[in-house]
């Protein structure tokens, strides 16, 4: 055996960082899955360590403070173990109990002013001053008797990794040394952090970086993974691999800036900056309450919130107070040891400060009805800055905010905003003062909330008159700055951040293509004609005022004040909707019709049933590049949520080119080509024709479409989504493909008869959110009832093929030879589906207590993969609301708490480990034990078939862990169903296309077992795993029939 | 049929570009395209275990896993464990205990043992029996195989720390 000598570099004190490519990783790693509450931080109340340990492949459950993780032999097993933990969190309570306020700068005492003058805030009763004169004129700001001021809290995200970013690390504890391999190039202060986390001297920690991490890997995520892995490897004494996935909703440290300001009788301005959590600190440290002495690592020593000199505003009101609130563990030396210190991005902090100051000044100006530029000039005692502002104002043709003077139309609101910044730029290695001023013009589409920055005037000056270190073209900087500012929001048809992170500076010109020519869809950067040496160039500091300028312009256009970027279209749309009466919609007309019903009932009926509908004229397809990338991206998500490609793609065929045969009780319906091919697809469909087809089921040529196409559900889709979907489909590659024609038997071949069907069964009304339900529920309802058309398969249909609603809604149906089980309390699943189960199933295609997605559901899950996690959670939340109220687990929790309290002698850790065993888990165990006992009793050839063909992958207790999941058959919903169809489908045809490769594959046994063997096996499975359910009848016929069917 | 497409496979720490129908069983690609003949074709239905490889360190029956599933994952075959000169502890143990008759199941036995020791470095005899129960052997070398697994566990324990520290130098 080799002698064990620690490498010299490990013994020395220098950080051990080297090329990971030359270091082979330990082969036998186990996988860690850290469990965290929404929001990332929270107090761990209870969890079921035993349930997790019972899961196949689980090595250990590790808990330290509020840090909780499962270590298992494979990623999937770790995931299953994490689910079994059923951790309960309290909080989130990341804010420290004690905070220390540090006064950074000030003169006069703003606090004293505010103490006396808070009553008049927000009154707005003062007569509006007339529009003030051009900027630079010595406008005196009238100081009124009452204070014109306001409080506002601005927030700025500190870390914003891409939503799909991830990072991986492997840690190995051996011979008293923690070695961490990191798929990231920037270790930051990781060595110090890991040492603190494990209470080790730094010399016992080695960090190995990968200088060339795989695409999609993010250093922030890799450091998070590294800390998690180190903690786990130290606990389980085995090499542990952890992957950390960015989830902006889960952990989003932000800088919070509380601003208060007032004009007259004495002007005052107060700002307090605080962070809730370390921007860059591994969450594991925060969860375990570990303090890291960053100062020892030679941290920059900058005040975390005052970097770039921007926390102090560049203005001089009569009274000014600037403070920063820091967490309590920064007590000894608050600046040097603050957890945010090591890599707090100074530029990010500067952007946040400028955003808060400049937005607040604009709010102040609006309240006082003074020109925002004049207000700034009055408080500015810096001639360079004043001159720059005046030049920019002149160049932009500044004439005060637009107010309501220049509204293009009801739908398009225009606004103009100003912002200014003075900062210290240290890019060139030597601190340099810079000045920037922005005038931004925006257009906001009130229907969609989409923000377009139409014109920007930027002035920028540097003290040293040098070129910036990073002379990127200003146009690029502006595009990037505005792009980062806009994103999706929280409305029920918002699509999360990924949808809008494409170019968001373009206009939304879908509903009426003629708009396109009148709305410039680009950002114009006009260079001010100023005599500044070094002139206008890019560089980080030039775009400092961007966020505030755009926010101010949005306020000017809509009256809505956005205080946290990225600015979301949904927020604007909701804001506008809440303050204005919505335009008359179908519902209102409905009321009118109801009132007139006795008179017009007959006429109304005639008007509804129009068997023949006019063809809509073909149009030329939109030219490439007509739609903005953001719109197309949104449309892509809409299409994914609508599963368009699932039905409109034939097996092995081109995406969306049609031809899939859908078997209905009335005959076979073939899906159509929805690529923009002019002859065979929808290339010559106008938006009006497309929308009519989607909402009313009418082909462009006036033909009625069979309701196998779920227009009954798509009618609920909002206009904005419908337009984006059209843009997406029309921007795809046209494919010439003519699918087989649908020919149904008489009388179903008479398409005009569908007019009557529609009158009976179709309501063309948009989705109406339910006010009493949460935003999440409504988002889920919108997705499930509309685009997702869940009920198309999961609701029974009547004799005429119409979905049954009411009590029958989601109570189960058939699709393509597979049973779509009930999603309500009528579910036959032996263990009730919980919201978390539903989420896991929809997100990963597998729920440990129920089974895997297969058949027509597999491509649905695959399609859902495109959607943000929050959307899938919303669908699960909505569907779960149809289940019977979960069997009360409260008594179990209470008894566990009592037992924990009585065993006070045990250590604190042990008592928390004794956590609630929830009812479903007990149920699962009982069911597993029952089928195990049945297995002992049942004998014969079917039993041997099961042992030979099925047990290796389905029996969690036997064999080594296998690639993929080991789905338990005892709790499988299909074996407890009234119909054997899904079991026969799976046995005969296998699962060759799971929604995620990680679930694993099942071979089909159609070619190796005959009908008799399959039938015998199916009966055996039923008897063994669902002994209390009646024996299935008609299995033999079903096997013969399903064997003939094509696989999905 | 799905058209062949390029797949980037990482087998035994080497990257390979192959152009196949993504649904081709991984076993066929390993044997036919990459000449890794350690994994054997036995039943083709995932029942006998002769085709076992490691995917991301976990045992996988490569006859029922399509090649596309291995994209982005690390595949280890028998060839990736050790060499004639420096066999893996598991291989060394199977040689020392002479745990083979016809040898057809041996790939599966060794790879499954590797996967077992990854999650359980010191298995009891019952645990070994349970772990290898779905790997079929027709010659009846079970007793030698059981001894080999125990020997492998011992060798691996002795070797692990030394080998990995070595890699850091």
């Amino acid at each position: 055996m080799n002698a064990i000598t620690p490498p010299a570099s490990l013994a020395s004190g220098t950080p051990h960082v080297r090329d990971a490519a030359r270091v082979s990783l330990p082969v036998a790693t186990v996988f860690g899955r850290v469990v965290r509450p929404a929001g990332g931080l929270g107090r761990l109340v209870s969890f079921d360590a035993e349930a997790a340990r019972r899961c196949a492949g689980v090595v250990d459950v590790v808990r330290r403070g509020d840090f909780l993780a499962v270590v298992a032999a494979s990623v999937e097993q770790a995931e299953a173990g994490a689910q079994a933990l059923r951790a309960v969190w309290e909080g989130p309570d990341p804010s420290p109990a004690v905070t220390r306020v540090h006064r950074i700068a000030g003169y006069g005492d703003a606090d004293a002013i505010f103490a006396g003058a808070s009553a008049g805030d927000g009154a707005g009763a003062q007569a509006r001053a007339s529009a003030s004169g051009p900027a630079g004129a010595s406008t005196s700001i009238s100081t009124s008797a009452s204070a014109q001021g306001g409080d506002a809290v601005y927030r700025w995200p500190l870390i914003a990794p891409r939503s799909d970013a991830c990072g991986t690390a492997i840690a190995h504890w051996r011979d008293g040394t923690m070695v961490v391999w990191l798929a990231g190039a920037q270790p930051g202060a990781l060595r110090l952090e890991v040492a603190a986390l494990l209470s080790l001297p730094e010399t016992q920690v080695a960090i190995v970086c990968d200088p060339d991490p795989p695409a999609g890997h993010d250093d922030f995520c890799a450091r998070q993974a590294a800390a998690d892995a180190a903690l786990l490897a130290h606990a389980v004494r085995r090499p542990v691999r952890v992957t950390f996935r960015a989830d902006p909703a889960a952990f989003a440290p932000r800088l919070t800036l509380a601003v208060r300001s007032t004009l007259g009788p004495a002007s005052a301005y107060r700002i307090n900056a605080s962070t809730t959590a370390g921007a860059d600190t591994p969450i594991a440290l925060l969860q375990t309450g570990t303090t890291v002495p960053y100062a020892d690592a030679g941290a920059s020593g900058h005040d975390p919130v005052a970097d770039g000199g921007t926390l102090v505003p560049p203005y001089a009101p009569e009274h000014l107070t600037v403070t920063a609130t820091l967490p309590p563990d920064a007590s000894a030396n608050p600046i040097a040891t603050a957890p945010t210190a090591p890599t707090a991005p100074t530029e990010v902090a500067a952007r946040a400060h400028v955003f808060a100051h400049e937005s607040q000044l604009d709010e102040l100006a609006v309240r006082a009805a003074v020109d925002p530029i004049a207000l700034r000039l009055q408080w500015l005692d810096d001639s360079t800055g004043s001159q720059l502002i005046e030049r920019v104002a002149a160049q932009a043709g500044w004439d005060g905010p637009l107010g309501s003077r220049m509204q293009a139309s009801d739908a398009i609101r225009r606004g103009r905003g100003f912002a200014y910044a003075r900062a210290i730029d240290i890019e060139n290695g030597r601190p340099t003062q810079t000045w920037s001023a922005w005038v931004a013009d925006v257009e906001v589409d009130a229907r969609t909330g989409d923000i377009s920055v139409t014109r920007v005037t930027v002035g920028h000056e540097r003290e040293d008159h040098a070129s910036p270190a990073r002379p990127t073209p200003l146009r690029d900087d502006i595009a990037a700055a505005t792009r980062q500012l806009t994103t999706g929001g929280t409305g029920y048809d918002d699509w999360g951040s990924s949808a809008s992170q494409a170019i968001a500076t373009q206009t939304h010109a879908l509903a009426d293509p003629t708009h396109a020519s009148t709305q410039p869809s680009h950002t114009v950067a006009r260079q001010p004609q100023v005599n500044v040496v070094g002139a206008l160039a890019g560089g980080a500091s030039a775009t400092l005022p961007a966020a505030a300028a755009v926010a101010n312009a949005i306020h000017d256009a809509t009256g809505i004040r956005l205080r946290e970027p990225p600015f979301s279209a949904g927020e604007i749309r909701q804001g506008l909707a809440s303050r204005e009466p919505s335009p008359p919609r179908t519902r209102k007309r409905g009321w009118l019709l109801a009132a007139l019903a006795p008179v017009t009932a007959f006429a109304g009926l005639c008007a509804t049933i129009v068997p023949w509908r006019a063809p809509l004229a073909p149009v030329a397809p939109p030219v490439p590049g007509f739609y903005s990338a953001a719109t197309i991206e949104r449309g892509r998500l809409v299409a994914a949520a609508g599963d368009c490609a699932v039905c409109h793609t034939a097996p092995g065929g081109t995406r969306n080119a049609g031809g899939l045969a859908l078997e209905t009780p009335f005959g076979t319906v073939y899906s159509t080509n929805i690529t923009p091919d002019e002859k065979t697809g929808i290339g010559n469909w106008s938006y009006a024709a497309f929308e009519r087809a989607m909402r009313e089921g009418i082909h462009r040529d006036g033909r009625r479409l069979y309701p196998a196409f779920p227009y009954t559900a798509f009618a609920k889709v909002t206009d904005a989504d419908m337009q984006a979907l059209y843009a997406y489909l029309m921007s795809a590659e046209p494919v010439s493909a003519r699918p087989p024609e649908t020919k149904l038997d008489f009388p179903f071949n008479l398409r005009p008869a569908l007019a009557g069907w529609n009158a009976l069964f179709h309501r063309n009304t948009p989705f109406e959110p339910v006010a009493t339900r949460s935003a999440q529920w409504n988002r889920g309802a919108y997705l499930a009832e509309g685009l997702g058309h869940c009920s198309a398969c999961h609701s029974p249909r009547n004799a005429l093929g119409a979905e049954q609603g009411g009590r029958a809604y989601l109570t189960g149906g058939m699709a393509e030879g597979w049973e779509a089980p009930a999603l309500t309390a009528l579910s036959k699943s032996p263990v009730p589906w919980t919201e978390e189960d539903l989420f896991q199933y929809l997100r990963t295609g597998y729920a440990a207590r129920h089974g895997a997605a297969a058949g027509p559901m597999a491509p649905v899950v695959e399609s859902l993969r495109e959607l943000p996690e929050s959307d899938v959670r919303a669908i699960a939340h909505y569907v779960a609301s149809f289940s019977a109220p979960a069997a009360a687990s409260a008594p179990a929790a209470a008894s566990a708490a009592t037992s924990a309290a009585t065993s006070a002698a045990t250590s604190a850790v042990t008592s928390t480990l004794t956590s609630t065993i929830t009812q479903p888990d007990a149920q699962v165990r009982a069911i597993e034990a029952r089928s195990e006992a049945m297995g002992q009793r049942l004998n014969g050839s079917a039993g041997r078939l099961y042992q030979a063909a099925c047990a290796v992958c389905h029996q969690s207790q036997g064999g080594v862990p296998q690639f993929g999941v080991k789905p338990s058959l005892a709790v499988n919903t299909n074996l407890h169903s009234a119909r054997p169809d899904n079991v026969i489908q799976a046995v005969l045809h296998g699962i060759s296309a799971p929604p995620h490769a990680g679930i694993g594959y099942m071979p089909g046994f159609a070619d190796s077992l005959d009908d008799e063997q399959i039938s015998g096996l199916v009966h055996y499975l039923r008897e063994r795993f669902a002994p209390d359910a009646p024996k299935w009848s008609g299995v033999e016929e079903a096997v013969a029939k399903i064997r003939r069917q094509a696989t999905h | 049929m799905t058209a062949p497409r390029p797949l980037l496979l990482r087998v035994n720490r080497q990257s390979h570009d192959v152009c196949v129908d993504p649904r081709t069983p991984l076993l066929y690609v390993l044997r036919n395209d990459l000449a890794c003949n350690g994994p054997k074709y036995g039943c083709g239905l995932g029942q006998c275990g002769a085709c076992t490889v490691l995917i991301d360190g976990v045992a996988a029956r490569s006859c029922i896993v399509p090649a596309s599933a291995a994209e982005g994952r690390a595949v280890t075959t028998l060839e990736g464990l050790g060499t004639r000169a420096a066999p893996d502890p598991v291989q060394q143990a199977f040689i020392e205990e002479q745990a083979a008759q016809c040898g057809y199941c041996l790939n599966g036995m060794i790879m499954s043992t590797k996967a077992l020791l990854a999650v359980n470095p010191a298995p009891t005899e019952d645990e070994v029996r349970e772990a290898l129960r779905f790997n079929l052997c027709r010659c009846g070398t079970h007793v030698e195989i059981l001894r080999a697994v125990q020997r492998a566990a011992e060798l691996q324990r002795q070797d692990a720390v030394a080998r990995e520290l070595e890699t850091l130098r």
Side-chain angles (χ1 to χ4, degrees):
Chain A
M1 291 303 122
N2 298 312
I4 301 170
T5 8
S9 51
L10 278 187
S12 78
T14 53
H16 181 70
V17 179
R18 62 156 77 199
D19 181 357
R22 286 185 285 120
V23 180
S24 70
L25 305 179
V27 179
T29 54
V30 288
F31 296 83
R33 163 72 160 77
V34 183
V35 186
R36 294 201 163 97
L41 294 169
R43 200 174 67 78
L44 182 55
V45 177
S46 72
F47 61 100
D48 188 350
E50 283 316 303
R53 287 205 177 90
R54 274 195 304 275
C55 290
V58 168
V59 175
D60 206 355
V61 174
V62 177
R63 186 255 171 107
R64 268 204 31 207
D66 294 325
F67 176 93
L68 180 64
V70 173
V71 180
S74 77
V75 176
E76 286 76 19
Q77 288 165 338
E79 189 61 50
Q83 227 188 310
L85 275 176
R86 311 190 69 79
V88 178
W89 307 84
E90 205 175 69
D93 185 26
S95 62
V98 188
T99 54
R100 292 170 54 93
V101 177
H102 299 274
R103 200 175 164 99
I104 308 285
Y107 41 84
D109 190 355
D111 290 335
I113 302 285
F114 291 118
S118 55
D121 284 358
Q126 198 188 16
R128 299 226 145 211
S130 58
S132 43
S138 57
T139 320
S140 70
I141 295 162
S142 61
T143 51
S144 65
S146 71
Q148 293 281 341
D151 275 319
V153 175
Y154 302 88
R155 294 194 170 82
W156 193 276
L158 282 178
I159 297 284
R162 292 196 329 273
S163 58
D164 60 340
C166 66
T168 301
I170 299 175
H172 192 187
W173 170 250
R174 58 193 177 198
D175 271 12
T177 299
M178 176 55 67
V179 186
V180 183
W181 288 264
L182 175 71
Q186 299 289 330
L190 188 60
R191 191 169 183 231
L192 182 69
E193 286 158 348
V194 169
L197 190 61
L198 305 177
S199 309
L200 293 171
E202 240 187 291
T203 48
Q204 275 173 262
V205 177
I207 307 289
V208 186
C209 278
D210 185 345
D212 186 20
H217 273 243
D218 176 276
D219 283 337
F220 169 75
C221 296
R223 284 195 297 270
Q224 293 287 353
D228 292 347
L231 192 50
L232 293 176
H234 191 253
V236 303
R237 309 279 153 147
R238 305 258 289 275
V240 177
R241 177 197 293 258
V242 172
T243 295
F244 181 93
R245 283 175 204 292
D247 177 5
F251 183 64
R254 33 169 75 94
L255 195 53
T256 305
L257 297 133
V259 192
R260 187 147 204 221
S261 62
T262 180
L263 280 180
S267 64
Y269 191 94
R270 186 180 73 187
I271 184 163
N272 183 305
S274 61
T275 52
T276 48
D280 208 15
T281 309
I283 306 170
L285 273 87
L286 303 172
Q287 289 185 304
T288 53
T290 310
T291 315
V292 183
Y294 284 118
D296 296 350
S300 60
H302 274 121
D303 184 324
V305 287
D307 271 323
T310 44
L311 182 55
V312 181
Y315 308 106
E318 291 162 57
H319 304 275
L320 172 75
T321 305
V322 179
T323 52
T325 304
L326 297 171
D329 46 343
S331 51
N333 181 352
I335 303 301
T337 64
T340 47
T343 49
T346 58
E347 191 191 318
V348 172
R351 279 179 198 284
H353 301 153
V354 171
F355 172 62
H357 289 310
E358 293 302 306
S359 297
Q360 178 67 16
L361 247 69
D362 199 66
E363 290 194 48
L364 197 59
V366 169
R367 281 171 183 280
V370 296
D371 182 278
I373 290 187
L375 171 62
R376 286 174 174 87
L377 289 172
Q378 185 182 334
W379 277 2
L380 210 56
D381 56 2
D382 164 10
S383 63
T384 312
S386 309
Q387 283 169 22
L388 182 72
I389 290 176
E390 282 166 24
R391 284 195 296 259
V392 168
Q395 180 65 34
W398 179 267
D399 192 16
L402 299 181
S404 54
R405 280 178 289 142
M406 282 183 62
Q407 296 310 352
S409 67
D410 271 358
I412 304 294
R413 315 282 178 87
R414 290 188 181 148
R416 175 174 287 182
F418 174 84
Y420 163 77
R422 192 186 73 199
I424 307 293
D425 186 352
I426 53 168
E427 254 188 70
N428 278 355
R430 165 173 93 76
T432 304
Q433 270 206 84
T434 66
W435 296 261
S436 327
W438 276 50
V439 173
D441 282 31
V442 301
E443 288 183 2
V444 177
D445 188 327
R447 294 161 303 186
T448 61
D450 283 358
I451 305 157
S452 318
V453 178
T454 52
R455 196 174 70 122
V456 173
T457 308
V458 178
H460 184 57
E461 193 163 348
R462 301 175 62 88
E463 188 182 32
D464 59 359
H465 305 311
S467 304
R470 189 164 57 87
T472 50
L474 181 66
R475 178 183 264 277
D476 289 0
D477 274 3
I478 288 168
T482 43
R483 185 161 61 238
Q484 286 160 5
L485 291 174
T486 47
T487 185
T490 53
Y492 64 79
D493 68 336
D494 270 322
W495 291 92
S497 53
S498 57
S500 322
Q501 279 184 351
I503 306 300
T505 51
Q506 306 201 1
T507 42
H508 198 294
L510 279 159
D512 179 2
T514 56
H515 270 274
S517 55
T518 60
Q519 295 174 18
S521 61
H522 56 273
T523 308
V524 182
R526 285 197 186 164
Q527 194 164 322
Q529 306 273 311
V530 285
N531 301 321
V532 180
V533 187
L536 189 64
S541 55
T543 55
L544 280 177
V550 171
N552 294 345
I554 290 172
H555 181 267
D556 185 32
T558 63
I560 295 168
R561 174 61 62 182
L562 300 177
R563 295 194 179 92
E564 179 175 1
F567 306 134
S568 97
E571 236 175 296
I572 290 179
R573 202 165 62 244
Q574 278 178 344
L576 287 175
S578 67
R579 72 180 57 198
E580 283 166 25
S582 55
R585 292 209 73 141
T586 337
R587 200 166 55 129
K588 297 208 167 167
R589 266 183 261 128
W591 279 107
L592 185 65
L593 279 181
L596 299 175
V599 187
T600 57
F602 189 64
L605 196 62
C606 284
T608 315
I609 305 182
V610 183
W612 303 102
R613 293 293 296 264
L616 295 182
V619 296
V623 291
F626 181 82
Y627 295 109
S628 73
T631 303
I632 294 171
E633 170 61 13
R634 177 177 187 157
R636 187 181 71 80
L637 295 179
V638 173
D643 305 320
C644 304
V646 173
C647 287
H648 284 280
T649 309
T654 316
R655 191 178 177 79
N656 286 340
L660 179 78
L662 293 156
E663 305 214 358
T664 74
F666 315 103
T668 303
V669 176
Y670 290 94
S671 61
T672 54
N673 181 348
I674 53 167
T675 67
D677 183 58
E678 287 190 58
K679 288 216 170 63
T680 60
I682 59 168
N684 59 8
W685 289 43
S686 62
Y687 175 70
F690 176 77
E691 188 184 15
R692 186 175 73 168
M694 288 289 287
R695 296 195 192 280
E696 299 180 55
I698 293 162
H699 192 277
R700 187 192 61 74
D701 64 13
R703 252 185 314 153
R704 288 183 181 274
L705 301 169
Y706 288 110
F709 168 59
Y711 58 89
T712 45
F714 294 154
K716 294 188 190 298
V717 173
T718 61
D719 289 344
D721 280 350
M722 193 68 88
Q723 289 158 6
L725 177 61
Y726 180 72
Y728 167 72
L729 290 174
M730 289 315 228
S731 309
E733 199 58 42
V735 178
S736 178
R738 203 177 290 281
E741 220 170 296
T742 299
K743 284 190 181 128
L744 303 190
D745 295 336
F746 181 82
F748 307 111
N749 59 346
L750 300 177
R751 287 180 184 256
L754 284 164
W757 191 95
N758 285 340
L760 286 170
F761 303 121
H762 180 41
R763 297 285 167 272
N764 181 13
T765 50
F767 175 76
E768 290 282 349
V770 179
T772 54
R773 296 283 199 163
S774 67
Q776 188 189 30
W777 188 92
N778 277 311
R779 172 69 178 159
Y782 172 71
L783 288 171
E785 293 175 13
L787 286 165
H789 61 280
C790 305
S791 63
C793 294
H794 285 278
S795 284
R797 291 182 183 258
N798 64 19
L800 287 172
E803 284 170 33
Q804 296 175 37
R807 283 189 186 180
Y809 181 64
L810 297 183
T811 55
M814 290 294 290
E816 298 169 55
W818 287 71
E819 184 196 6
L823 304 181
T824 65
L826 292 180
S827 166
K828 290 274 197 285
S829 173
V831 183
W833 282 83
T834 63
E835 182 175 332
E836 183 60 25
D837 287 341
L838 284 164
F839 169 73
Q840 289 297 337
Y841 181 86
L842 292 172
R843 179 93 291 192
T844 66
Y846 177 66
R849 290 205 288 258
H850 305 279
M857 194 61 199
V860 172
V861 172
E862 207 174 335
S863 208
L864 287 177
R865 211 153 87 177
E866 306 292 325
L867 300 195
E869 180 165 322
S870 56
D871 281 348
V872 180
R873 280 201 187 278
I875 296 174
H877 180 71
Y878 167 77
V879 173
S881 72
F882 287 88
S883 307
S889 57
S895 68
T898 333
S899 71
T902 49
S903 62
T906 54
S907 73
V909 174
T910 328
S911 71
T912 333
L913 280 170
T914 320
S915 50
T916 60
I917 293 171
T918 50
Q919 200 157 344
D921 288 318
Q923 241 174 313
V924 170
R925 274 206 305 285
I927 292 167
E928 297 279 5
R930 182 182 65 178
S931 37
E932 196 51 50
M934 283 303 286
Q936 304 291 327
R937 285 224 302 281
L938 296 173
N939 283 312
S941 62
R944 287 192 294 278
L945 271 181
Y946 168 80
Q947 281 300 334
C950 318
V952 61
C953 294
H954 283 288
Q955 203 146 303
S956 60
Q957 298 312 319
V960 288
Q962 293 284 331
F963 177 71
V965 292
K966 280 195 170 183
S968 156
L969 294 179
V971 292
N972 188 286
T973 305
N974 293 322
L975 280 164
H976 294 263
S977 170
R979 308 179 60 108
D981 300 58
N982 289 4
V983 174
I984 298 171
Q985 288 277 13
V987 173
L988 275 176
H989 301 311
I991 298 175
S992 58
H996 291 259
I999 292 175
Y1001 298 79
M1002 171 166 168
F1005 292 88
D1007 297 332
S1008 47
L1009 301 179
D1010 62 20
D1011 281 9
E1012 198 186 327
Q1013 288 170 313
I1014 301 268
S1015 303
L1017 184 58
V1018 169
H1019 282 303
Y1020 171 86
L1021 295 174
R1022 174 76 158 182
E1023 199 178 348
R1024 173 165 175 179
F1025 295 109
D1028 49 358
K1031 189 177 173 190
W1032 276 319
S1033 59
V1035 169
E1036 289 70 14
E1037 296 75 26
V1039 169
K1041 181 169 157 240
I1042 292 171
R1043 187 187 283 280
R1044 286 195 301 274
Q1045 279 172 0
T1047 53
H1048 187 84
Chain B
M1 279 297 110
T2 312
R5 67 171 172 90
L7 292 179
L8 181 65
L9 298 181
R10 193 155 173 81
V11 178
N12 300 333
R13 300 192 192 88
Q14 280 195 320
S15 293
H16 299 274
D17 269 314
V18 292
C19 191
V20 294
D21 180 335
R23 293 177 304 178
T24 310
L26 176 61
L27 175 66
Y28 298 9
V29 177
L30 291 175
R31 290 181 60 89
N32 301 343
D33 298 79
L34 307 183
C36 287
N37 292 321
K40 299 284 184 278
Y41 181 95
C43 62
L45 286 167
Q47 299 181 0
C48 71
C51 63
T52 302
V53 299
L54 302 182
I55 299 183
D56 282 348
V58 176
R61 308 213 151 179
S62 62
C63 70
I64 57 165
V65 173
S68 58
E71 268 188 309
R73 299 172 194 267
V75 177
T76 308
T77 70
L78 189 62
E79 288 85 349
L81 291 191
T83 60
R84 233 168 237 283
D88 183 89
V90 179
Q91 292 169 312
Q92 180 67 39
F94 272 73
I95 295 167
E96 286 177 16
E97 297 295 338
Q98 288 293 293
Q101 174 109 312
C102 86
Y104 205 79
C105 72
L106 214 54
N107 168 72
M109 295 293 179
I110 292 176
M111 298 312 284
S112 296
T113 302
K114 196 76 196 155
L116 167 68
L117 296 182
V119 295
N120 186 353
T124 64
E125 187 177 324
D126 280 351
E127 285 171 337
V128 176
R129 282 173 184 273
E130 192 57 38
L132 296 182
R133 126 179 200 211
F134 297 112
N135 282 72
L136 306 186
C137 162
R138 295 272 156 139
C139 313
T141 28
H142 301 86
V143 177
E144 289 79 3
I145 290 172
L146 287 174
R147 277 208 298 271
V149 176
Q150 295 296 2
R151 176 78 184 132
E154 201 181 312
L155 289 179
Q156 196 154 300
R157 276 196 299 275
Q158 291 172 4
D159 226 12
V161 175
R163 282 165 66 94
E164 283 172 16
L165 272 178
E166 184 90 328
T167 60
L168 273 175
R169 303 176 64 171

